Amino acid sequence: MTKTPDSVSSKPQIITGKARLAGVLGWPVSHSRSPALHNYWLRRYGIDGAYVPLPVKPEQFEAAVRGLQAAGFRGANVTIPHKEAACALADELDPSAQRAGAVNTLVFEEDGRIRGLSTDGEGFVASMDASGISLPASGRALLLGAGGAARSVAAALQDRGLHIAVTNRTQARADSLAAVLPGLEVVPWETWEAGLGGYDLLVNTTSLGMEGGPDPMFRPSLKAASHKLVVADIVYVPRLTPLLAEAEQHGLKTLGGLGMLLHQARLGFREWFGQDPVVDAKTEATVTASL
Ligand code: ATR
């Protein structure tokens, strides 16, 4: 069983000259709670290490990754807008990243090779399970967005046997996602709200509704939803996004993005810091306190 010491909040972080280092690459990155989460786990397990935010512009992504490697980092998480660039940069992709066409976790191997993983989808499904949400075996899910997170979530939900439809402002991007994941349906961005009645699950995988994002007020109409629709958002700042607030107003079951953040992070932590971390109420409370 994993050892999970209790009195961790008072434990100081250990950062010696041998500290293991990792971080999160994003633009912007100030919203990310990954540093709060990973540094909490580092304290909890008494690991000599640190995890830092790394604000990097798209045009500097590759230079930044090479620099981190040169500086002895173990790897990094990758968030908006770098997930597809990270996929192209990795020397080796694990099966989830191959399938998702995106990478959210980079592992720098000692021989200089870069391994890419995609843990968003697995994290999303683990979060759904942890919240006790169960969907019909051959249920239908509609994903908003066609970026890296969408690809990863779509692949993981397909593995669960769900039929997936995707809608995106830029339809060409949704079409290319459908080309990678056979069986995926593309729905026009202009009409998805009206067609919501046919779905069991709606997932926002875009940054719409995110504080500081392109449209923090994003509150689509859920008038056409059936009463069984589960509404999920991968945005977790704010915890109650306008989309989730709208769903609650309709009496629909909701799933916020925090659970996915916590669960997707476990794999990277294990790779960089050599410990499988627990996701429990204390973990959630620590990250929530930073929101
Ligand atoms: P990630 O890899 O984390 O999914 P991404 O690849 O940058 O990040 O994707 C962001 C998603 O948010 C995309 O689906 C994007 O739509 P476009 O492909 O049309 O750009 C979506 N998005 C971002 N800003 C948006 C906006 N103002 N309106 C609609 N969709 C938006």
Coordinates of all heavy atoms in Angstrom, one line a residue, residues 67-112:
G67 N 16.4 23.7 -23.4 CA 17.1 24.3 -22.2 C 16.8 23.6 -20.9 O 17.7 23.4 -20.1
L68 N 15.6 23.1 -20.7 CA 15.3 22.4 -19.5 C 16.0 21.1 -19.5 O 16.6 20.7 -18.4 CB 13.8 22.1 -19.5 CG 12.8 23.3 -19.3 CD1 11.4 22.8 -19.4 CD2 13.1 24.0 -18.0
Q69 N 16.1 20.4 -20.6 CA 16.9 19.2 -20.7 C 18.3 19.4 -20.3 O 18.9 18.7 -19.5 CB 16.9 18.7 -22.2 CG 15.9 17.6 -22.5 CD 16.2 17.0 -23.9 OE1 16.2 17.8 -24.8 NE2 16.3 15.7 -23.9
A70 N 18.9 20.5 -20.9 CA 20.3 20.9 -20.6 C 20.5 21.2 -19.2 O 21.6 21.0 -18.6 CB 20.7 22.0 -21.5
A71 N 19.5 21.7 -18.5 CA 19.6 22.1 -17.1 C 19.3 21.0 -16.2 O 19.3 21.2 -15.0 CB 18.6 23.3 -16.8
G72 N 19.1 19.8 -16.7 CA 18.9 18.6 -15.9 C 17.5 18.3 -15.4 O 17.4 17.5 -14.5
F73 N 16.5 19.0 -15.9 CA 15.1 18.7 -15.5 C 14.8 17.2 -15.9 O 15.4 16.7 -16.8 CB 14.2 19.6 -16.2 CG 13.9 20.9 -15.5 CD1 15.0 21.8 -15.2 CD2 12.6 21.3 -15.2 CE1 14.7 23.0 -14.5 CE2 12.4 22.5 -14.5 CZ 13.4 23.3 -14.2
R74 N 13.9 16.6 -15.1 CA 13.4 15.3 -15.4 C 12.3 15.2 -16.5 O 12.1 14.2 -17.1 CB 12.8 14.6 -14.1 CG 13.8 14.5 -13.0 CD 14.6 13.3 -13.2 NE 15.6 13.2 -12.2 CZ 15.9 12.0 -11.5 NH1 15.2 10.9 -11.8 NH2 16.9 12.0 -10.7
G75 N 11.7 16.4 -16.6 CA 10.6 16.5 -17.6 C 9.7 17.6 -17.3 O 10.0 18.5 -16.5
A76 N 8.5 17.6 -18.0 CA 7.6 18.7 -17.8 C 6.2 18.4 -18.2 O 6.0 17.5 -19.1 CB 8.1 20.0 -18.6
N77 N 5.2 19.0 -17.6 CA 3.9 19.0 -18.2 C 3.8 20.0 -19.2 O 4.5 21.0 -19.2 CB 2.8 19.3 -17.1 CG 2.5 18.1 -16.2 OD1 2.6 18.2 -15.0 ND2 2.2 17.0 -16.9
V78 N 2.8 19.8 -20.1 CA 2.7 20.7 -21.2 C 1.2 21.1 -21.3 O 0.3 20.2 -21.3 CB 3.0 20.0 -22.6 CG1 2.8 21.0 -23.7 CG2 4.5 19.6 -22.5
T79 N 0.9 22.4 -21.3 CA -0.5 22.8 -21.4 C -0.7 23.8 -22.5 O 0.2 24.0 -23.3 CB -1.0 23.4 -20.0 OG1 -2.4 23.6 -20.0 CG2 -0.3 24.7 -19.6
I80 N -1.9 24.3 -22.6 CA -2.3 25.2 -23.7 C -1.2 26.3 -24.0 O -0.8 26.9 -23.0 CB -3.7 25.9 -23.4 CG1 -4.8 24.9 -23.6 CG2 -3.9 27.1 -24.3 CD1 -6.2 25.4 -23.2
P81 N -0.7 26.5 -25.2 CA -1.1 25.9 -26.4 C -0.1 24.9 -27.0 O 0.0 24.8 -28.2 CB -1.2 27.2 -27.3 CG 0.0 28.0 -26.8 CD 0.2 27.6 -25.4
H82 N 0.6 24.3 -26.2 CA 1.8 23.5 -26.7 C 1.6 22.0 -26.9 O 2.6 21.3 -27.2 CB 3.0 23.7 -25.7 CG 3.4 25.1 -25.4 ND1 3.6 26.0 -26.4 CD2 3.5 25.8 -24.2 CE1 4.0 27.2 -25.8 NE2 3.9 27.1 -24.5
K83 N 0.4 21.5 -26.7 CA 0.3 20.0 -26.6 C 0.6 19.3 -27.9 O 1.1 18.2 -27.9 CB -1.1 19.6 -26.1 CG -1.2 19.9 -24.7 CD -2.6 19.6 -24.1 CE -2.7 19.9 -22.7 NZ -4.0 19.8 -22.1
E84 N 0.3 20.0 -29.0 CA 0.6 19.3 -30.3 C 2.1 19.5 -30.7 O 2.7 18.6 -31.2 CB -0.4 19.8 -31.4 CG -1.7 19.1 -31.2 CD -2.9 19.7 -31.9 OE1 -2.8 19.9 -33.1 OE2 -3.9 20.1 -31.2
A85 N 2.6 20.7 -30.3 CA 4.1 20.9 -30.6 C 4.9 19.9 -29.8 O 5.9 19.4 -30.2 CB 4.4 22.4 -30.2
A86 N 4.4 19.6 -28.6 CA 5.2 18.6 -27.7 C 5.1 17.3 -28.3 O 6.1 16.5 -28.3 CB 4.5 18.6 -26.3
C87 N 4.0 17.0 -29.0 CA 3.9 15.7 -29.7 C 4.9 15.6 -30.8 O 5.5 14.5 -31.0 CB 2.4 15.6 -30.2 SG 2.0 13.9 -30.8
A88 N 5.0 16.7 -31.5 CA 6.0 16.7 -32.7 C 7.4 16.6 -32.2 O 8.3 16.0 -32.9 CB 5.7 17.9 -33.5
L89 N 7.7 17.1 -31.0 CA 9.0 17.2 -30.5 C 9.5 15.9 -29.9 O 10.7 15.6 -29.9 CB 9.1 18.4 -29.5 CG 10.4 18.8 -29.0 CD1 11.2 19.5 -30.1 CD2 10.3 19.8 -27.8
A90 N 8.6 15.2 -29.3 CA 9.0 14.0 -28.6 C 9.7 12.9 -29.6 O 9.3 12.8 -30.7 CB 7.8 13.3 -27.9
D91 N 10.7 12.2 -29.1 CA 11.4 11.2 -29.9 C 10.6 9.9 -29.9 O 10.7 9.1 -30.8 CB 12.8 10.9 -29.3 CG 13.6 12.2 -29.2 OD1 13.9 12.7 -30.3 OD2 14.1 12.6 -28.2
E92 N 9.8 9.7 -28.8 CA 9.1 8.5 -28.6 C 7.7 8.8 -28.0 O 7.7 9.7 -27.1 CB 9.9 7.8 -27.5 CG 10.1 6.3 -27.7 CD 11.1 5.9 -26.6 OE1 12.3 6.0 -26.8 OE2 10.6 5.4 -25.6
L93 N 6.7 8.2 -28.5 CA 5.3 8.5 -28.0 C 4.8 7.2 -27.4 O 4.9 6.1 -28.0 CB 4.4 9.0 -29.1 CG 4.7 10.3 -29.7 CD1 3.8 10.5 -30.9 CD2 4.7 11.4 -28.8
D94 N 4.2 7.3 -26.2 CA 3.5 6.1 -25.6 C 2.2 5.9 -26.4 O 1.8 6.8 -27.1 CB 3.4 6.2 -24.1 CG 2.2 7.0 -23.7 OD1 1.7 7.8 -24.5 OD2 1.7 6.8 -22.5
P95 N 1.6 4.8 -26.3 CA 0.4 4.5 -27.1 C -0.7 5.6 -26.9 O -1.4 5.9 -27.9 CB -0.1 3.1 -26.6 CG 1.1 2.5 -26.1 CD 2.0 3.6 -25.5
S96 N -0.9 6.1 -25.7 CA -2.0 7.0 -25.5 C -1.7 8.3 -26.2 O -2.6 9.0 -26.8 CB -2.1 7.3 -24.0 OG -1.0 8.0 -23.5
A97 N -0.4 8.7 -26.3 CA -0.1 10.0 -27.0 C -0.2 9.8 -28.5 O -0.6 10.7 -29.2 CB 1.4 10.4 -26.6
Q98 N 0.2 8.6 -29.0 CA 0.1 8.3 -30.4 C -1.4 8.4 -30.8 O -1.7 9.0 -31.8 CB 0.5 6.8 -30.7 CG 2.0 6.7 -31.1 CD 2.4 5.3 -31.1 OE1 1.6 4.4 -31.4 NE2 3.6 5.0 -30.7
R99 N -2.2 7.8 -30.0 CA -3.7 7.8 -30.3 C -4.2 9.2 -30.2 O -5.1 9.6 -31.1 CB -4.3 6.9 -29.3 CG -5.8 6.6 -29.6 CD -6.0 5.1 -29.8 NE -7.5 5.0 -30.1 CZ -8.4 4.9 -29.2 NH1 -8.0 4.7 -27.9 NH2 -9.6 4.8 -29.5
A100 N -3.8 10.0 -29.2 CA -4.4 11.3 -29.0 C -3.8 12.3 -29.9 O -4.3 13.4 -30.1 CB -4.2 11.7 -27.6
G101 N -2.6 12.0 -30.5 CA -1.9 13.0 -31.4 C -1.5 14.3 -30.6 O -1.3 15.3 -31.1
A102 N -1.3 14.1 -29.3 CA -1.0 15.2 -28.4 C -0.2 14.7 -27.2 O -0.4 13.5 -26.8 CB -2.3 15.9 -27.9
V103 N 0.5 15.6 -26.6 CA 1.3 15.2 -25.4 C 1.1 16.2 -24.3 O 1.1 17.4 -24.6 CB 2.8 15.1 -25.8 CG1 3.7 15.3 -24.7 CG2 3.1 13.8 -26.6
N104 N 0.8 15.7 -23.1 CA 0.7 16.7 -22.0 C 1.8 16.4 -20.9 O 1.9 17.1 -19.9 CB -0.7 16.7 -21.3 CG -0.9 15.4 -20.5 OD1 -0.2 14.4 -20.7 ND2 -1.8 15.5 -19.5
T105 N 2.6 15.4 -21.2 CA 3.7 15.0 -20.2 C 4.9 14.6 -21.0 O 4.9 13.7 -21.8 CB 3.2 13.9 -19.3 OG1 2.0 14.2 -18.7 CG2 4.2 13.5 -18.2
L106 N 6.0 15.3 -20.7 CA 7.3 15.0 -21.3 C 8.2 14.4 -20.3 O 8.3 14.9 -19.1 CB 8.0 16.2 -21.9 CG 7.3 16.9 -23.1 CD1 7.9 18.3 -23.4 CD2 7.3 16.0 -24.3
V107 N 8.9 13.3 -20.6 CA 9.9 12.7 -19.7 C 11.2 12.8 -20.4 O 11.3 12.3 -21.6 CB 9.5 11.2 -19.4 CG1 10.5 10.6 -18.5 CG2 8.1 11.1 -18.8
F108 N 12.2 13.4 -19.8 CA 13.5 13.5 -20.4 C 14.3 12.3 -19.9 O 14.6 12.2 -18.7 CB 14.2 14.8 -19.9 CG 13.4 16.0 -20.3 CD1 13.6 17.2 -19.5 CD2 12.5 16.1 -21.3 CE1 12.9 18.4 -19.9 CE2 11.8 17.2 -21.7 CZ 12.0 18.4 -20.9
E109 N 14.7 11.4 -20.8 CA 15.5 10.2 -20.4 C 16.9 10.6 -20.3 O 17.4 11.6 -20.8 CB 15.3 9.1 -21.5 CG 13.8 8.7 -21.8 CD 13.2 7.9 -20.6 OE1 13.8 7.8 -19.6 OE2 12.0 7.5 -20.8
E110 N 17.6 9.7 -19.6 CA 19.1 10.0 -19.3 C 19.9 10.0 -20.6 O 20.9 10.7 -20.7 CB 19.6 9.0 -18.3 CG 19.3 9.5 -16.9 CD 19.8 8.5 -15.8 OE1 20.7 7.7 -16.1 OE2 19.3 8.6 -14.7
D111 N 19.5 9.3 -21.6 CA 20.2 9.2 -22.8 C 19.9 10.4 -23.8 O 20.3 10.4 -24.9 CB 20.0 7.9 -23.6 CG 18.5 7.7 -24.0 OD1 17.7 8.6 -23.8 OD2 18.2 6.6 -24.5
G112 N 19.1 11.3 -23.3 CA 18.8 12.5 -24.1 C 17.5 12.4 -24.9 O 17.0 13.4 -25.5

